[in-house]
Amino acid sequence: MNQPLLSVIIPAKDQAPFIRDAMTSLTRQFDDPSVMEIIVIDDGSTDGTGELAAAFTGRLPGLQVHRNDTADGLAAARNQGLDAARGRYIAFFDPDDWYAAGHLSRITEEIRQLGVDFLRVDHIRHTNGVRTVHRAPQAVRGIALDPRQDIGPSDDSTMVDYPYAPFGIFDSALKEAGLLHFLDGLHTAEDRPWIWRLHLQAASYAVSDHLGAFYRRGVATSLSQVFDRRQLDFLRSYAEVFRLVAEDRQADRFRPKAIRQFLAIACHHLDRSDSMTRAVRQELTSGVHAAVAGLPAAAVAAGLQSLGDRRRKTLETAIGALK
């Protein structure tokens, strides 16, 4: 069989209110939609999400819908899609988002022309009817860059702080090299070790100036809106980030960024912990404490200082003096 130009991977669980908008936007990406392979992973939906997606078979000739009887989670669903993907390039797409017409066509051509391992794009956030543009932290656009150079500095927003998998396109060679899969079992924060591994181990990337990806925020079913123990997956996620950094030849260079990023995210969850059950809140506190205890004390102290007084006090109050 001929290799598709692009594989689009869509993990979907109970997305009936949005999946038709997402699929409709895919029909407007190429003059010939058959160049795309669309892989929908219906991850244990109970609202007919898979059937709604399958209704687009006539408009999207490369559409496949894979059904999981029980939900395996976002990371596993994306990996399932990756394992099935045959495209020259790969894109991830969330079922509550959508693309402007021609978006995938333009960025597929751009990554081909630049010859980089992956290409990142800005996005438009749609929150309760309000749209705002969010830019990738790298201001240099349209040229090949070294991913490792854009991990630090630790106290500034960099490309590892822009982990969103759907906002970009990836050479399938990264899949073959083992750099596109996610850590199985993660329901949240699955993109954190994923983006660190890409920037540590891929050879080249670029940022596009093209704006055409829409990100729907504030959806009630989004895992960012829930407060159960799935939110604690960031602890396992950062254990993997710290492992990747420790194995790198320049571990001392990158560790301060990883630690500060972890502390900032831990503080975010601690700030929200009043909405968690007591058991989850205790697991959060003990998990953060255990993670910090395994890190170099001087680097933790520096990270705390860089967070500012409020966030530093939040961490110290929750889990004791960490300096």
Side-chain angles (χ1 to χ4, degrees):
M1 296 177 64
N2 292 333
Q3 182 183 32
L5 175 64
L6 175 66
S7 294
V8 181
I9 297 167
I10 309 173
K13 181 181 187 299
D14 293 335
Q15 292 294 314
F18 310 113
I19 189 72
R20 282 172 288 198
D21 289 344
M23 301 300 289
T24 297
S25 78
L26 288 175
T27 68
R28 301 169 178 164
Q29 296 308 304
F30 291 88
D31 292 337
D32 176 8
S34 69
V35 303
M36 290 186 296
E37 174 185 61
I38 312 297
I39 304 171
V40 176
I41 306 300
D42 180 13
D43 195 34
S45 297
T46 59
D47 65 352
T49 290
E51 290 79 3
L52 291 170
F56 283 79
T57 300
R59 301 170 67 185
L60 294 167
L63 176 62
Q64 311 169 27
V65 179
H66 301 260
R67 167 75 180 176
N68 296 335
D69 290 334
T70 58
D72 293 329
L74 178 57
R78 282 182 176 161
N79 288 343
Q80 187 178 346
L82 278 169
D83 290 342
R86 299 182 299 109
R88 173 67 181 82
Y89 298 103
I90 292 171
F92 300 99
F93 188 35
D94 285 346
D96 52 358
D97 298 342
W98 71 98
Y99 294 136
H103 172 70
L104 290 178
S105 176
R106 289 188 61 174
I107 65 172
T108 301
E109 179 60 19
E110 187 167 359
I111 192 174
R112 187 194 67 78
Q113 289 183 355
L114 291 171
V116 292
D117 288 339
F118 63 101
L119 178 74
R120 306 305 311 281
V121 301
D122 304 324
H123 68 277
I124 301 164
R125 290 189 184 177
H126 180 92
T127 308
N128 299 322
V130 177
R131 294 181 179 182
T132 54
V133 175
H134 288 256
R135 302 284 184 186
Q138 172 55 265
V140 177
R141 304 298 172 101
I143 65 170
L145 301 168
D146 180 352
R148 293 171 65 87
Q149 294 302 316
D150 288 337
I151 292 174
S154 63
D155 59 351
D156 198 4
S157 179
T158 73
M159 289 302 293
V160 292
D161 298 303
Y162 192 79
Y164 316 103
F167 306 135
I169 186 170
F170 307 88
D171 193 302
S172 62
L174 292 175
K175 169 192 164 182
E176 304 308 320
L179 300 186
L180 283 187
H181 282 73
F182 296 81
L183 192 62
D184 263 333
L186 293 178
H187 294 82
T188 60
E190 78 293 333
D191 47 10
R192 295 293 177 164
W194 175 84
I195 195 66
W196 271 89
R197 188 173 62 237
L198 277 174
H199 275 268
L200 286 169
Q201 298 179 19
S204 62
Y205 91 108
V207 182
S208 173
D209 240 352
H210 175 61
L211 188 62
F214 290 82
Y215 178 27
R216 198 187 304 267
R217 293 276 289 178
V219 177
T221 56
S222 169
L223 285 175
S224 65
Q225 304 296 310
V226 301
F227 297 91
D228 62 28
R229 75 164 317 282
R230 288 172 292 180
Q231 290 295 315
L232 306 189
D233 280 358
F234 84 96
L235 295 167
R236 184 175 168 221
S237 176
Y238 272 89
E240 177 66 5
V241 170
F242 294 140
R243 185 192 70 79
L244 289 167
V245 170
E247 292 179 354
D248 190 85
R249 66 184 185 276
Q250 293 182 300
D252 291 342
R253 172 185 172 188
F254 299 125
R255 188 176 289 111
K257 177 65 176 179
I259 290 174
R260 189 193 185 283
Q261 196 179 63
F262 169 77
L263 292 173
I265 292 174
C267 188
H268 166 74
H269 287 289
L270 289 166
D271 282 341
R272 305 166 75 234
S273 63
D274 284 347
S275 298
M276 300 174 183
T277 66
R278 181 179 179 182
V280 173
R281 187 163 58 249
Q282 289 177 337
E283 189 175 350
L284 167 64
T285 300
S286 61
V288 172
H289 188 280
V292 168
L295 298 170
V300 171
L304 283 168
Q305 281 300 122
S306 70
L307 288 176
D309 290 343
R310 186 195 66 79
R311 290 194 289 178
R312 183 176 69 250
K313 289 176 182 177
T314 294
L315 283 160
E316 292 177 347
T317 298
I319 57 178
L322 302 180
K323 292 187 279 188

